[in-house]
Amino acid sequence: MDRIHITGGTPLNGVIPISGAKNAALPLMIASLLTGETLELVNVPRLADIASLSRILGNHGVDHMVVGKRPGQTAETGQTVRLTASNVIDTTAPYELVSTMRASFWVVAPLLARFGEAKVSLPGGCAIGTRPVDLLIMALEKLGAQIEIDGGYVVAKTKNGLRGGEIRFPKVTVGGTHVALMAAALAYGTTVIENAAREPEVVDLAECLIKMGARIEGAGTPRIVVEGVSRLHGARHEVLPDRIETGTYAMAVAMAGGDVTLEDTRADLLHSALDVLATTGTEVTSTESGIRIRRNGAGIAAVDVTTDPFPGFPTDLQAQFMALMTLAKGRSHIRETIFENRFMHVQELARLGAKIRLEGDLAVVEGVERLKGAPVMATDLRASVSLVIAGLAAEGETQINRVYHLDRGFEALEAKLGRCGAEIRRVRA
Ligand code: EPZ
């Protein structure tokens, strides 16, 4: 298995281009199942999760074409992908494919809405918590789907198509909102989604669906109203910038020091995280095409954080922020409210010399003077990248094992950091 070796202690200086958002690209690709015409997606990141979903869509019969590179494009310029679901041959998503990536379960919504049936494997356990799909099933039932669980599969059917209804989520769910939007787009009549997720990726999906002919109002607010239409058509849509990649590199600069401009991204996608970073003593400035992050010399102030649905502090940046807080002056409290088991990075950060105590959903971090490199490994994507950040600021060499987690969600990580002066290299197994 590949490893990443980092020799820490060098500040980061330069420009990092931000990729298209993985968590927007995935539901957008799934939305291609809603129409027989071509959906063209621009700025799709080159990531293992995207490749996995392409395989899953291919299994349903979706035609997938990557548009050739244009002059000036590099390996890191997002791809343009054309997806055409004109010949769907199979409405089953098998366990072997769905178990590799949880988001692929969301295919249940467009398959059911367009073909009246879907058989999709339950996604199974996950390293960051139990992550059930009960609310996604509830949403589909509210639209008239008959659902059974059989042999580990969700078998969903509708006799005369889905019908609009009221979906009230008892807790905010991003996947639940994606599923509700896609199903309601082709349902007969009006659907009201209450307590909808407000994440930018939900807004991006809604904007793409609107381009495809859907009638949606209120995306980005807790109440979304969808007037169903009988068919959707092809469209072209650009994937929004990855706010988690943006926040991750911002925290890397805050921790290792330096001056980096994050390009092709937007501050409004992650205000809460940038506000917190500014409170730690990092300079954050919006530029014409992105965000400039600077920290030169000054210490890192300890700041308390609680994760929350958007516009709150994102759970997907919790691990990276904890890495930063390990070098803060004083004690900080980090509370995780979205997932019940998202602290696997704590033990690994401790291997680098961090002092963190866990009390249920709260991590109490005592800032230390310095971290020291060590071999580490992580069990999920964001936890892995928190170790990269910590390794950049630690003395000596850090080896990160199980790099495939990073490849799931960070495009060209070593190249982007390496160009800013980081001593980082991949050792192929
Ligand atoms: C999305 O997952 C993201 N994944 C996650 O990013 C992200 O951490 C999460 O939203 C929260 O922001 C993608 O977009 C592909 P949820 P999702 O449904 O949709 C509970 C990453 O690293 N819940 O908003 O699966 C659930 O257990 C990933 O890129 C139910 O109880 O998350 C959790 O506690 C990790 N029943 C909470 O809701 C359900 O039916 C929020 O989950 C569904 C969810």
Side-chain angles (χ1 to χ4, degrees):
M1 259 185 277
D2 290 2
R3 285 195 305 269
I4 283 188
H5 288 222
I6 297 172
T7 307
T10 320
L12 302 170
N13 285 293
V15 174
I16 298 182
I18 298 299
S19 299
K22 164 181 86 78
N23 287 350
L26 295 173
L28 290 168
M29 289 169 72
I30 289 173
S32 69
L33 283 166
L34 286 166
T35 174
E37 295 180 17
T38 300
L39 178 63
E40 179 169 300
L41 297 174
V42 181
N43 200 26
V44 176
R46 291 173 169 80
L47 295 170
D49 272 7
I50 299 290
S52 302
L53 182 61
S54 300
R55 272 194 297 280
I56 291 163
L57 294 176
N59 190 59
H60 291 300
V62 178
D63 190 51
H64 172 270
M65 196 188 105
V66 178
V67 179
K69 275 200 203 127
R70 299 276 184 269
Q73 289 188 331
T74 66
E76 291 153 44
T77 318
Q79 331 171 67
T80 295
V81 176
R82 288 191 191 135
L83 298 159
T84 313
S86 57
N87 188 24
V88 169
I89 46 172
D90 194 347
T91 53
T92 299
Y95 174 73
E96 299 70 42
L97 294 178
V98 177
S99 58
T100 62
M101 191 189 28
R102 195 185 145 76
S104 55
F105 181 79
W106 303 341
V107 297
V108 68
L111 288 173
L112 179 66
R114 184 158 158 233
F115 303 104
E117 58 170 41
K119 184 175 171 190
V120 180
S121 170
L122 283 163
C126 170
I128 61 174
T130 49
R131 300 183 80 187
V133 289
D134 55 324
L135 301 177
L136 283 66
I137 291 175
M138 176 278 281
L140 295 173
E141 283 177 338
K142 291 281 181 201
L143 302 186
Q146 292 111 46
I147 296 191
E148 277 175 32
I149 312 286
D150 184 17
Y153 280 76
V154 170
V155 183
K157 288 196 179 106
T158 129
K159 275 213 186 83
N160 298 312
L162 294 174
R163 306 218 146 231
E166 185 173 300
I167 301 169
R168 188 176 290 272
F169 287 114
K171 84 200 264 191
V172 175
T173 155
V174 174
T177 309
H178 286 323
V179 158
L181 272 176
M182 286 189 272
L186 282 184
Y188 180 79
T190 308
T191 297
V192 180
I193 307 170
E194 300 277 8
N195 200 23
R198 289 186 276 163
E199 269 65 6
E201 293 76 20
V202 167
V203 178
D204 208 37
L205 174 64
E207 282 174 0
C208 178
L209 292 173
I210 291 167
K211 287 182 195 160
M212 293 167 73
R215 295 173 59 193
I216 301 172
E217 274 179 18
T221 77
R223 185 171 193 271
I224 306 180
V225 181
V226 185
E227 294 289 342
V229 295
S230 57
R231 63 180 292 279
L232 294 172
H233 50 73
R236 182 174 195 272
H237 183 79
E238 181 167 345
V239 180
L240 95 167
D242 195 316
R243 65 193 166 102
I244 305 304
E245 190 195 24
T246 306
T248 299
Y249 290 129
M251 287 181 200
V253 180
M255 197 168 179
D259 183 347
V260 170
T261 299
L262 305 170
E263 247 179 16
D264 306 324
T265 187
R266 291 173 10 216
D268 64 297
L269 298 174
L270 69 162
H271 265 315
S272 59
L274 294 177
D275 288 351
V276 168
L277 263 192
T279 321
T280 66
T282 309
E283 256 182 67
V284 179
T285 343
S286 280
T287 67
E288 221 165 83
S289 61
I291 307 163
R292 183 174 174 192
I293 307 288
R294 261 195 300 180
R295 199 178 66 77
N296 289 318
I300 302 166
V303 180
D304 295 344
V305 146
T306 298
T307 62
D308 262 319
F310 192 85
F313 189 95
T315 173
D316 288 348
L317 284 175
Q318 178 257 108
Q320 300 88 316
F321 185 71
M322 193 180 300
L324 174 63
M325 286 297 97
T326 63
L327 287 184
K329 290 200 165 78
R331 176 185 299 166
S332 61
H333 301 85
I334 301 177
R335 195 176 291 281
E336 171 59 54
T337 70
I338 309 291
F339 293 110
E340 74 273 21
N341 183 25
R342 208 176 194 181
F343 281 139
M344 284 90 51
H345 40 285
V346 167
Q347 281 181 353
E348 299 301 305
L349 288 170
R351 293 176 54 75
L352 302 176
K355 283 199 181 146
I356 307 168
R357 195 174 71 245
L358 285 181
E359 297 171 6
D361 65 356
L362 180 73
V364 183
V365 188
E366 303 285 349
V368 293
E369 280 286 308
R370 60 182 66 83
L371 298 177
K372 201 152 173 272
V376 287
M377 70 166 79
T379 44
D380 86 88
L381 166 61
R382 312 304 176 183
S384 305
V385 86
S386 78
L387 299 172
V388 171
I389 295 179
L392 291 171
E395 286 173 3
E397 188 171 281
T398 296
Q399 285 172 31
I400 300 172
N401 296 292
R402 298 200 185 163
V403 167
Y404 57 86
H405 286 299
L406 290 169
D407 294 337
R408 284 187 42 219
F410 288 90
E411 189 175 28
L413 176 95
E414 307 101 270
K416 288 184 182 186
L417 287 169
R419 277 200 304 268
C420 291
E423 287 187 47
I424 179 168
R425 68 197 161 88
R426 181 180 290 243
V427 178
R428 305 232 174 239

